[in-house]
Amino acid sequence: MKYAVTVDAQIAGGSPELDALQRVGAVALLERAFDEVAAIDGPGGADVEVLDTFVGVHPGGALMKVFVDAPALELAEDAVRALVEELLEGSVLLAEWTVARCAVELHPDLTRESLDAAEGPDAPPDDLASRRARLSAGRTETPGPDAAGEVVDVVAMRDTFCALAGRLRAFGPEAFGVVAQPPAGVEGGCGDPDRPLPPGLPPGLPQDAADRRPGVTRADATLAAGALVYGTDLLLDELFQDVSALDGDGGSVAECEEPMWLLGELPRRYALRYDAHFGRRFLVTAIALTTRFTQGTFCQLSCVAEELVLRLLLREAEVALDLFGLLDEGVSAALRCFAESVYEDMDHEWLYDDSLDGIDESPVGAYLGVAPMGIARWFSPFSEERYVHPYAADDSVGPHE
């Protein structure tokens, strides 16, 4: 079965961040090391074939995608972790790096392909209805032996999201719909010392000090903020993979035989224009936007591409929360409030309605004050005060638009 293993390698604690030249060198070292590997001897002598690799280096380390064909998910993870650790130890310059995360991500299309290819009496039925019926028949009212583990996973993920919330430095809980009414003598703020929140207002007020928007609590805001940070990791991972697929294919999203994680979720009317160069510009835009979110320097969305990035990020956060049963009405409301806080308008949603194609260039669009939304303007700043990363804004390397 095919697996996409994500590996997050980090520089040694206390080391200075990698500069541009060091990042280029690290990419070269890792890519050269991967090029010399065709297969991995997995645990128990199982062969794990390396199909493809992708390396992206950032100031704090490297994010790698290793595509393998392995007999089982656990074998894929263990074999890739062992391989990357061996590659790092074998390089004098990377020997102190550590593997912080090594996990398989199953793409729905690849998983379905592998299931459809399965044979034998235990293979899943061909049609989805029969598969669903088989799964339903296998369920019982009595919790199985793994039920306790599932509860632990939910609690652990709640704690993980809450711990990540403080990294969303550009937004306080008020951006998620929590309205603070501090007691007399206390200047603004709402916080819970027992539950981290994104900064922006001073911590230390008791739980009953906040007059909240209906349905949104500070705990909801914390989960929503943490899910956005968690979703940022997923967003960038999946965009890296999409760009790698387009680089290898040489075509566009509409023509690529490899399944797309995120670029295929952009407005379909421009699918022929989403090539590898566009993907890199969109990826850089995503990195620039999420950096401003986490650095605390965000002021406003700068261009249509950032509006589309945020749309994808919100979906990633919702999916992650829903996966662990944490997307209740309060957290959903907190994410909606966040979207309302960040978006100045929702005109970009018209890009998903083909019946409204060209409205930005029509008299109706001019009357409504709709900004130009054609793909040629996606990376153009809304005004001179807005910031768009130079790589994304500069399209001089090729006639793509």
Side-chain angles (χ1 to χ4, degrees), residues 344-357:
E344 296 173 52
D345 58 56
M346 301 302 291
D347 292 352
H348 63 278
E349 289 292 339
W350 294 348
L351 289 168
Y352 292 87
D353 186 345
D354 289 338
S355 68
L356 296 174
D357 187 11

Side-chain angles (χ1 to χ4, degrees), residues 154-172:
V154 171
V155 173
M157 286 309 301
R158 179 186 292 274
D159 291 342
T160 296
F161 289 145
C162 290
L164 291 172
R167 299 186 185 180
L168 200 69
R169 296 184 176 92
F171 305 96

Side-chain angles (χ1 to χ4, degrees), residues 169-185:
R169 296 184 176 92
F171 305 96
E174 70 282 356
F176 295 87
V178 178
V179 181
Q181 293 293 337

Side-chain angles (χ1 to χ4, degrees), residues 303-325:
C303 58
V304 173
E306 287 195 349
E307 293 180 330
L308 298 175
V309 166
L310 179 56
R311 188 180 193 270
L312 294 175
L313 177 58
L314 287 165
R315 195 199 68 169
E316 293 281 15
E318 289 180 348
V319 169
L321 288 162
D322 190 44
L323 180 63
F324 294 98

Side-chain angles (χ1 to χ4, degrees), residues 257-279:
E257 296 183 358
E258 294 293 324
M260 292 286 105
W261 288 83
L262 290 179
L263 292 181
E265 299 298 321
L266 295 177
R268 295 297 300 173
R269 71 180 69 162
Y270 297 119
L272 285 169
R273 307 284 292 277
Y274 306 148
D275 57 9
H277 175 62
F278 170 89

